[in-house]
Amino acid sequence: MAYQRIRQPKLSDVIEQELERLIVEGTLSPGQQLPPERELAKQFDVSRPSIREAIQRLEAKRLLTRRQGGGTFVSESIWQSFSDPLLNLLSSHSETQLDLLESRHAMEGISAYFAALRGTDEDFARIQAALEMISAEQEKQNIEAEAVAVMQFLIALTEAAHNVVLLHIVRSLAPLLEQNILQNLKLLHRRQEVVEKVSKHRANIVDAIVSGQPEKAREMSHSHLAYIEETLLDLTKEESRRERSLRRIQQSNE
C-alpha cells in the first residue's frame, strides 16, 4: 500500500487563518490596529517573516490595510455591504424607517435569544456598560450621542449571540440603523414617560439575558420594539394634527 505524504501547513498559512478567524468572529473589528509584527511574532511564537507573509496575503484579500505613518489595520470596508448612495436613498424614505423597525424585530429578537443562551460574563459586562452609557447620555440630553450609545448596545447584544452572520448583517446595516434610532429618539423624547418606559424595556431585556432566559429575552425585545412602533405612529399622527391646526390658523389670519 502506498501512503501519501502528510504535508505540514506553512506557519504563515496557520497565522493567516487565525487572523481571518478573529476578523470573522468580530474579535478584530473594522478599523482596529493590529499589534506590531514583533509583538505578533512573540504572541504566535513564530518568526517575523512568517507574520509578514500572512499579513501581505490578508492585504491582498483587502481584509487588512496599511496606513501612512505606519501600522496595519483591519479594513473598515469589510462590513459595508450597503453603498452610501443606497443608504442615503433608503434613509430618505419614511416608509423605509418603519420597514427597518419591523426588521429589527427579527434581528434583535434572535440576538437577545442567543445572547441569553450563549453569552459569557464578558459579553454581559459589555452589554451592561452599553446600557449605562445610554443612561448617561440621556441625563446629558444629548440625543445624537444617545443614538450612538443605543447602536453600541445593539452591537454588544449581537456579539453576545455568537453568530458571525448575524453580526455581519447588523454591522453592515449600522449606518442605517443608527439613523433610524436617531430619528426615533427625536420623536420619543417629546414624552418623558415614553423615554423612561423604553429604558425600562431595555433593562428587562438585559435582565432576561443575564439570567439565562432566552425565550423571555426575545419576548422582551419584541415588546420593546412594538411599544416604540406604536408610540411613533401615535406621535406622527399627533404631529400631523398639529400641522393641520397651524395651517388653519395661518389661513384664518391671512
Side-chain angles (χ1 to χ4, degrees), residues 226-240:
Y227 174 73
I228 289 175
E229 191 172 357
E230 289 168 10
T231 306
L232 287 173
L233 287 170
D234 186 39
L235 285 165
T236 303
K237 288 176 184 175
E238 184 182 284
E239 181 67 20
S240 297

Side-chain angles (χ1 to χ4, degrees), residues 120-240:
T120 65
D121 289 340
E122 291 77 13
D123 292 326
F124 299 155
R126 281 196 297 271
I127 292 171
Q128 292 278 14
L131 192 66
E132 290 168 11
M133 182 58 70
I134 295 171
S135 298
E137 298 303 343
Q138 281 178 351
E139 288 180 12
K140 296 176 190 173
Q141 296 291 309
N142 189 336
I143 296 178
E144 285 77 11
E146 184 183 344
V148 173
V150 172
M151 189 65 236
Q152 290 306 308
F153 172 76
L154 295 185
I155 289 175
L157 210 66
T158 312
E159 287 175 340
H162 294 277
N163 182 309
V164 295
V165 174
L166 192 59
L167 181 60
H168 172 75
I169 292 169
V170 171
R171 278 186 163 159
S172 296
L173 286 170
L176 195 59
L177 284 168
E178 192 173 314
Q179 191 167 43
N180 177 252
I181 291 164
L182 178 59
Q183 289 180 3
N184 295 346
L185 287 176
K186 284 179 177 177
L187 280 172
L188 297 175
H189 268 272
R190 292 180 181 178
R191 297 179 183 173
Q192 184 56 36
E193 71 275 12
V194 167
V195 175
E196 290 171 3
K197 192 162 185 178
V198 167
S199 297
K200 189 168 176 24
H201 284 168
R202 284 199 204 97
N204 289 340
I205 294 168
V206 174
D207 286 345
I209 289 170
V210 172
S211 60
Q213 301 179 72
E215 289 292 353
K216 186 178 179 183
R218 178 161 55 187
E219 181 188 332
M220 291 293 100
S221 178
H222 289 322
S223 298
H224 166 64
L225 291 168
Y227 174 73
I228 289 175
E229 191 172 357
E230 289 168 10
T231 306
L232 287 173
L233 287 170
D234 186 39
L235 285 165
T236 303
K237 288 176 184 175
E238 184 182 284
E239 181 67 20
S240 297

